[in-house]
Amino acid sequence: MSTSKCCYQGFEWEGTPTGQISKLANNDVYIAGDSSASDIAILYVADMFGWTFKNNRLLADHIAREVGATVYVPDFFAGEVVDSDLLINDRWDKIDLAGFGYRHRREVREPEIFECAKALRQQYKKLGAVGYCFGGWAAFRLGGAAKLVDVISVGHPSLLTKEDIDGITVPVQVLAPEIDPVYTPELKLHTFQTVQRLGVPLDYQHFPGVVHACMVRGDERKPGERAAMIRGKNALVAWQSHFLKE
């Protein structure tokens, strides 16, 4: 897994998730919102801290409520959970990043990500995808030639390739922190130039002064990071709402 220490730094937010646990395709899933009350859904592909990480669930709750959609956060790590205590106490050296990356490499996880999207496609009128960090490449793939979703939003994507960007076919939103050795300046420029050339709607948002992963693991006590988290969430809600409700 191409990454850096910033991928697994951050903070755990306060609050209590309000969703429920169920199954999607063959995966455990956290569901935010009332699945019987909406005809639009969002597939949320989480970062390496996964579907049980409180921040991911709290963010899914916000998105579901503000978009008026049902948000699904599946377990795409085969039950493996990275202990958030390692994140909170900066014990990042205890994480077997190389082993985790190999066990959950793209070619292993892409088939089940696609299966979850196909299952939601059968149930909902419109489907969006949201991907943070690890989930960034997956969102691009879902919005590629297979066109399993109608719109994507990604925050500080990792494992993303130029080929993923070249293949996008649906409206794409990118939330890009300034300080990000994973989503490099070269990939940022390629995204900006390529999506425009393809004629696909693009919302590219630059977040100065903040680091990779701040959209999901930012410190609420830091004014700059808190502002970025709020702006990023609001931008995502507006983008997904526009294309899922049109």
Side-chain angles (χ1 to χ4, degrees):
M1 179 180 286
S2 176
T3 188
S4 67
K5 180 182 174 183
C6 64
C7 286
Y8 39 98
Q9 287 181 315
F11 296 82
E12 187 171 76
W13 301 338
E14 296 181 1
T16 303
T18 58
Q20 59 181 320
I21 307 302
S22 186
K23 285 282 189 180
L24 176 64
N26 293 315
N27 297 66
D28 290 328
V29 64
Y30 175 82
I31 304 175
D34 184 352
S35 59
S36 66
S38 176
D39 60 359
I40 60 176
I42 295 172
L43 179 59
Y44 182 129
V45 188
D47 64 355
M48 67 177 290
F49 284 87
W51 79 296
T52 61
F53 185 41
K54 184 165 67 172
N55 295 18
N56 284 320
R57 294 186 174 190
L58 289 171
L59 188 51
D61 288 347
H62 275 286
I63 296 169
R65 181 167 58 251
E66 296 177 35
V67 175
T70 307
V71 179
Y72 292 78
V73 189
D75 171 20
F76 289 129
F77 300 138
E80 182 173 0
V81 174
V82 177
D83 186 356
S84 63
D85 181 66
L86 302 178
L87 170 75
I88 299 163
N89 295 304
D90 197 24
R91 295 167 57 206
W92 55 269
D93 58 314
K94 302 298 183 182
I95 300 174
D96 176 18
L97 192 62
F100 184 92
Y102 180 77
R103 290 187 295 276
H104 309 299
R105 58 197 183 277
R106 289 178 48 144
E107 57 267 34
V108 172
R109 295 299 165 216
E110 181 173 290
E112 64 189 84
I113 293 171
F114 275 32
E115 286 305 308
C116 284
K118 290 174 182 176
L120 293 175
R121 266 295 194 200
Q122 295 177 357
Q123 185 176 349
Y124 291 93
K125 180 179 177 181
K126 287 285 190 73
L127 176 63
V130 171
Y132 291 99
C133 198
F134 173 90
W137 69 268
F140 266 89
R141 289 285 294 148
L142 289 168
K147 204 171 183 180
L148 292 172
V149 298
D150 299 296
V151 57
I152 71 168
S153 298
V154 301
H156 45 83
S158 62
L159 305 181
L160 188 66
T161 68
K162 289 183 177 180
E163 289 74 22
D164 297 329
I165 299 166
D166 293 344
I168 195 68
T169 62
V170 302
V172 54
Q173 177 184 58
V174 180
L175 309 176
E178 175 186 2
I179 306 165
D180 194 340
V182 180
Y183 185 44
T184 63
E186 180 183 8
L187 278 176
K188 290 174 178 177
L189 180 60
H190 188 79
T191 302
F192 192 73
Q193 294 177 333
T194 300
V195 178
Q196 288 188 95
R197 176 176 54 80
L198 293 172
V200 174
L202 170 67
D203 179 34
Y204 182 95
Q205 300 213 17
H206 174 67
F207 291 78
V210 294
V211 300
H212 178 93
C214 76
M215 302 299 167
V216 175
R217 301 193 299 275
D219 185 352
E220 295 175 302
R221 298 167 296 182
K222 293 182 180 179
E225 291 193 9
R226 180 176 176 81
M229 289 189 294
I230 293 171
R231 177 185 154 203
K233 184 268 296 178
N234 289 344
L236 185 149
V237 165
W239 186 254
Q240 292 283 324
S241 295
H242 177 77
F243 289 99
L244 293 178
K245 294 180 175 180
E246 66 176 2

